[in-house]
Amino acid sequence: MSRHRDALDRSLALKGESVILRRVVASGTATAAVDAPCLAFVRKGAGQEVSPGVGQRDYDVILSPTHIERAQWPGGLPVRSPPTEADPRIPVEGDQLIVQGRARLVRLATPTFIAGELVRIDLQVRG
Amino acid sequence: MDLPGPYVLAVTPITAPLSAQAFTPIVGLNGMASVTLEAELQGGTGGSAVTVRVQSRIGSSGTWREIARFDFTGAAAKSCTIATGAASVAALTTLNADAVLQGFLGTDLQAVVTSTGTYAGTVLAVRAAVR
């Protein structure tokens, strides 16, 4: 593991916040979720009122791939030949992040690779 | 063991028929002594059958062996617990409906799903609690 990822993991262990990365699979009213407990740095961004008395806020989040890999999130995916999936460790738009007990939607995930290793994932979430 | 905890072998909508669709494995479960498997089919309308085969192998070069099979026609949830420690020789073969092979736990787990007919509003979840 790279020193960059080690440093992020140490920092998260000291100062990170517990969150849950969640992918929800639904068909009609049937739903099932795949969770990965993670540590994250969560920074509040701009807030806005979406309807009278109802607000939502943007958050910038930093995750380490270490926790995602530990959970082997998002679990088993259909094996395709040839493979068509992007790196499954990287959340996609529509995934959820449970922050302080509230589900927020992932809008954008930006991975950082150094020397071919995934060392950090930046998320923009809203909710 | 190295990585005890809950894992998801497959969470997927079931629509068009699947022919032995393998899912990417959960790997590196060195020292796995027991596993509780849970398979749940929600919805379950439109099609006629879903079969989930849970397989294990010893290392990445090992052969996938069936350790549990769950059969569904409609919505249901089923589970079983498999532990190491069988003292007798067991044949490694395909399993009959809703059957379990005790004693064989390798280092990796995967789900293989077959379905018949076209389901609507249906989600299959296969989970493992590994100890």
Side-chain angles (χ1 to χ4, degrees):
Chain A
M1 193 182 300
S2 78
R3 61 187 173 86
H4 300 90
R5 191 154 144 183
D6 283 342
L8 176 58
D9 287 343
R10 283 196 302 273
S11 185
L12 283 168
L14 285 173
K15 301 175 184 175
E17 174 176 349
S18 293
V19 300
I20 296 172
L21 181 61
R22 173 172 291 169
R23 177 162 298 167
V24 176
V25 175
S27 179
T29 57
T31 63
V34 186
D35 286 356
C38 299
L39 291 172
F41 291 125
V42 181
R43 186 167 60 86
K44 287 181 182 175
Q48 57 184 332
E49 193 172 69
V50 293
S51 62
V54 178
Q56 65 180 12
R57 184 177 290 277
D58 291 332
Y59 294 83
D60 294 320
V61 178
I62 299 171
L63 294 178
S64 166
T66 299
H67 306 108
I68 296 172
E69 290 172 2
R70 169 64 184 81
Q72 301 200 38
W73 186 89
L77 296 171
V79 174
R80 307 290 187 204
S81 182
T84 56
E85 304 288 343
D87 189 328
R89 298 171 295 176
I90 300 169
V92 297
E93 185 177 2
D95 285 339
Q96 298 178 5
L97 195 72
I98 313 300
V99 181
Q100 296 162 11
R102 183 169 166 181
R104 305 167 201 277
L105 278 180
V106 173
R107 302 181 65 218
L108 181 67
T110 306
T112 299
F113 288 86
I114 296 178
E117 183 188 3
L118 179 61
V119 298
R120 163 180 166 152
I121 300 169
D122 289 78
L123 298 181
Q124 292 178 18
V125 303
R126 174 174 286 180
Chain B
M1 67 165 294
D2 287 353
L3 300 168
Y7 295 94
V8 174
L9 304 185
V11 168
T12 184
I14 302 289
T15 51
L18 295 173
S19 177
Q21 173 65 63
F23 287 72
T24 52
I26 302 298
V27 299
L29 305 172
N30 301 318
M32 175 168 49
S34 74
V35 60
T36 296
L37 298 168
E38 174 195 72
E40 181 175 24
L41 190 73
Q42 298 181 56
T45 58
S48 56
V50 174
T51 296
V52 180
R53 291 177 170 86
V54 178
Q55 301 176 328
S56 185
R57 69 180 176 188
I58 300 174
S60 60
S61 62
T63 300
W64 287 111
R65 307 293 188 182
E66 285 188 27
I67 59 172
R69 175 174 160 174
F70 302 99
D71 291 79
F72 300 92
T73 53
K78 300 181 178 184
S79 80
C80 67
T81 296
I82 300 169
T84 56
S88 58
V89 173
L92 298 172
T93 183
T94 56
L95 296 176
N96 295 323
D98 289 327
V100 172
L101 172 69
Q102 287 292 340
F104 182 86
L105 290 176
T107 58
D108 304 341
L109 294 171
Q110 78 167 6
V112 177
V113 179
T114 299
S115 67
T116 306
T118 300
Y119 280 89
T122 299
V123 171
L124 171 71
V126 186
R127 304 176 190 276
V130 177
R131 298 169 291 272

